[in-house]
Amino acid sequence: MAYPGYGGGFGNFRGQMPAMQMGQPVPGLGPHGLPGEYSGYSAYSDSYHSAGDPMWTYFTAVAGQDGEVDAEELQKCLTQSGISGTYSPFSLETCRIMIAMLDRDYTGKMGFNEFKELWTALNAWKQNFITIDQDQSGTVEHHELNQAIAAMGYRLSPQTLTTIIKRYSKNGRIYFDDYVACCVKLRALTDFFRRRDHLQQGVVNFVYDDFLQGTMAI
Ligand SMILES: [Ca+2]
Ligand SMILES: [Ca+2]
């Protein structure tokens, strides 16, 4: 089999995050002091529980008048939160990818529950990133990504890994926001491929339009 697994749960915003890593505070969080524990909410609880939820005030401030968070608003809030550990703006591309993963009603924006789900996922990503960054340089380098991807269960050729590094790094270093984009995309594309690989042989025949629809959306 070409891809004997890609475990870990990372990148699957709709799936289960590892229990240990849920609700961890995000290191380096900014002045907002965002609460970290958001699990167990129901999918339709917006109007029932939001008033007493400490995250609600923050969400409404970020979302603005339309009551939903789009990619630019998310970028602004994540840049201000300092979660990526740099002074440069949080990647807009990563924001778009994360919204695409969570956007069940295809509005291109996030409602309150989607926003909370994203926050939980980001906390888990941050913990994952800190674990991967073994030399604590604040970035993930080639050998660290190599190990991380293998640990998630992917089997990629050295050439593919090099291509990924080139695409997502700055001077050979992958920063948190680019790391999230990289892992989420890797997961989503693998899922897309695997759903069509009925014999699990690592070979798929695509219809052109299907291929474009699946890959361009991510
Ligand atoms: Ca908005
Ligand atoms: Ca490192």
Side-chain angles (χ1 to χ4, degrees):
M1 240 166 51
Y3 39 80
Y6 47 83
F10 297 108
N12 182 8
F13 288 149
R14 293 187 173 117
Q16 304 290 317
M17 283 314 202
M20 280 177 60
Q21 292 175 317
M22 282 188 70
Q24 297 288 326
V26 178
L29 260 186
H32 304 293
L34 293 170
E37 293 188 16
Y38 292 101
S39 53
Y41 53 85
S42 106
Y44 303 100
S45 63
D46 269 23
S47 52
Y48 298 101
H49 303 304
S50 50
D53 193 322
M55 194 77 165
W56 175 251
T57 312
Y58 183 66
F59 171 78
T60 52
V62 172
Q65 276 200 327
D66 64 350
E68 287 200 290
V69 173
D70 61 28
E72 282 78 14
E73 289 163 341
L74 182 62
Q75 180 192 33
K76 203 175 156 198
C77 115
L78 290 176
T79 301
Q80 286 173 354
S81 79
I83 193 170
S84 66
T86 68
Y87 292 106
S88 46
F90 196 94
S91 156
L92 183 61
E93 187 206 358
T94 305
C95 293
R96 288 203 173 116
I97 290 173
M98 292 190 298
I99 289 178
M101 294 293 102
L102 284 168
D103 185 21
R104 295 188 186 85
D105 51 2
Y106 304 105
T107 59
K109 301 175 180 181
M110 279 183 302
F112 183 47
N113 283 324
E114 291 167 337
F115 186 74
K116 287 202 295 187
E117 200 174 333
L118 176 85
W119 209 262
T120 303
L122 267 176
N123 285 346
W125 281 110
K126 190 70 188 185
Q127 291 304 313
N128 173 251
F129 184 80
I130 289 167
T131 309
I132 303 303
D133 179 21
Q134 287 170 349
D135 62 359
Q136 302 185 345
S137 63
T139 50
V140 164
E141 286 77 32
H142 196 298
H143 65 283
E144 291 171 337
L145 186 72
N146 199 352
Q147 287 176 9
I149 283 184
M152 289 176 204
Y154 295 100
R155 303 289 178 269
L156 308 182
S157 69
Q159 293 87 336
T160 303
L161 261 176
T162 303
T163 305
I164 292 174
I165 297 273
K166 269 189 197 158
R167 166 70 176 75
Y168 289 95
S169 66
K170 296 178 181 101
N171 298 320
R173 296 159 157 260
I174 303 179
Y175 289 84
F176 177 65
D177 49 358
D178 289 325
Y179 176 76
V180 172
C182 171
C183 295
V184 170
K185 208 162 178 175
L186 186 58
R187 173 67 185 246
L189 287 174
T190 301
D191 282 345
F192 171 78
F193 189 95
R194 183 177 263 183
R195 277 197 301 273
R196 287 154 181 81
D197 185 11
H198 302 297
L199 300 175
Q200 302 290 298
Q201 290 179 327
V203 180
V204 173
N205 281 318
F206 286 113
V207 175
Y208 174 62
D209 191 68
D210 178 42
F211 173 75
L212 280 191
Q213 214 184 94
T215 53
M216 296 292 283
I218 295 161

